[in-house]
């Protein structure tokens, strides 16, 4: 059990950086569904059937998600108790930015989105392979992905989730380095790079969702 507040912050920072790395890797694979469907099928099939990915990396990813958000909720509860009383009047960003003050809200929505994403893609994949015992089909992934974005409500939900993810990353990504003690001449560059990443990657996912909604597969 992690009891130290500093230790919890370090664990949350490390798990956050791990999830940011995964997010970038996830985007690289998913953008190929737009520019190279055959490559998307090939990479998705590899990720779906490679034992190392399935039985080692996937459990680590799930654990990383759980640890990151549990630590975040615990720290937010601690901070709320420590503050005791709220500010009498909020004066713009004099006390804290909107993003930093609402990390729990944006994080909660992102967690709900991850649950939706698992429901949309991970559970059907598990059912396809282990419950229905279907034979391997390395060409099915692109069509299945495009089909998911055909309903406008799902596209809108994904867009909202990625906008909130961007807000979450705008504060959380750079803060992770600060928590790890990185405070030197490279700090301004780190802040700039993390800000670009926090905007560009979620925007890329928004583009993927819109693109597939507007370009359904016709039979």
């Amino acid at each position: 059990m992690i009891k130290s507040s500093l230790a919890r912050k370090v664990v949350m920072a490390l798990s956050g950086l791990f999830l940011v790395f995964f997010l970038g890797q996830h985007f690289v694979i998913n953008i190929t569904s737009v520019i190279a469907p055959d490559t998307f099928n090939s990479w998705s099939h590899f990720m779906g059937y490679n034992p190392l990915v399935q039985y080692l990396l996937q459990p680590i990813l799930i654990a990383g998600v759980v640890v990151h958000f549990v630590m975040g909720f615990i720290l937010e509860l601690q901070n709320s108790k420590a503050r005791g009383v709220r500010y009498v009047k909020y004066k713009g960003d004099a006390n804290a930015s909107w993003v930093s003050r609402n990390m729990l809200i944006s994080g909660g929505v992102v967690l709900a989105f991850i649950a939706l994403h698992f429901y949309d893609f991970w559970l059907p994949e598990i059912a396809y392979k282990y419950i229905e015992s279907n034979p391997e089909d390395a060409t099915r992934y692109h069509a299945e992905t495009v089909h998911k974005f055909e309903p406008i409500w799902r596209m809108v939900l994904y867009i909202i989730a990625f906008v909130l993810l961007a807000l979450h990353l705008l504060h959380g990504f750079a803060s992770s380095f600060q928590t790890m003690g990185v405070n030197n001449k490279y700090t301004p560059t780190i802040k700039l790079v993390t800000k670009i990443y926090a905007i560009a990657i979620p925007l890329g996912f928004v583009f993927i969702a819109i693109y597939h909604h507007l370009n359904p597969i016709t039979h």
Side-chain angles (χ1 to χ4, degrees):
M1 178 67 67
I2 301 174
K3 296 182 178 180
S4 166
S5 178
L6 178 60
R8 289 192 180 106
K9 289 180 180 179
V10 171
V11 170
M12 188 173 71
L14 288 173
S15 59
L17 290 173
F18 167 71
L19 294 177
V20 166
F21 171 78
F22 167 76
L23 183 69
Q25 176 262 333
H26 198 54
F27 172 74
V28 169
I29 293 176
N30 278 263
I31 194 62
T32 61
S33 68
V34 173
I35 60 179
D38 290 340
T39 300
F40 177 74
N41 282 332
S42 177
W43 287 0
S44 297
H45 184 261
F46 172 81
M47 297 293 288
Y49 284 89
N50 182 272
L52 179 64
V53 174
Q54 290 295 297
Y55 303 118
L56 179 62
L57 298 183
Q58 188 167 262
I60 291 175
L61 172 63
I62 295 173
V65 171
V66 173
V67 168
H68 183 72
F69 284 99
V70 168
M71 289 297 106
F73 286 128
I74 292 175
L75 287 169
E76 181 61 27
L77 290 175
Q78 287 182 337
N79 292 337
S80 297
K81 291 179 180 179
R83 283 193 292 266
V85 295
R86 297 185 180 276
Y87 298 112
V88 176
K89 183 178 180 181
Y90 176 67
K91 300 178 180 179
D93 282 347
N95 300 319
S97 68
W98 184 93
V99 175
S100 63
R101 288 183 296 110
N102 292 277
M103 288 293 283
L104 189 62
I105 295 175
S106 61
V109 174
V110 171
L111 184 59
F113 159 72
I114 292 175
L116 172 64
H117 195 62
F118 269 64
Y119 174 80
D120 274 346
F121 294 96
W122 188 73
L123 289 181
E125 184 71 8
I126 295 299
Y128 182 93
K129 291 188 296 186
Y130 302 116
I131 299 176
E132 300 169 4
S133 298
N134 289 303
E136 289 189 29
D137 181 2
T139 65
R140 62 186 171 88
Y141 301 94
H142 180 259
E144 291 176 354
T145 300
V146 175
H147 176 69
K148 288 294 183 181
F149 291 108
E150 289 177 358
I152 190 170
W153 65 266
R154 183 178 275 109
M155 179 195 68
V156 171
L157 280 179
Y158 270 75
I159 291 174
I160 293 172
F162 279 117
V163 169
L164 287 170
L165 174 62
L167 294 176
H168 194 77
L169 288 174
L170 278 170
H171 175 74
F173 195 3
S175 295
S176 296
F177 287 98
Q178 185 176 352
T179 300
M180 298 305 298
V182 179
N183 188 15
N184 50 42
K185 64 180 181 179
Y186 300 109
T187 298
T189 301
I190 291 174
K191 288 183 176 180
L192 176 61
V193 171
T194 56
K195 183 176 292 186
I196 293 173
Y197 187 98
I199 295 173
I201 297 299
L203 188 62
F205 277 108
V206 168
F207 166 74
I208 293 171
I210 295 175
Y211 180 88
H212 287 318
H213 176 73
L214 296 177
N215 296 273
I217 295 177
T218 57
H219 298 285

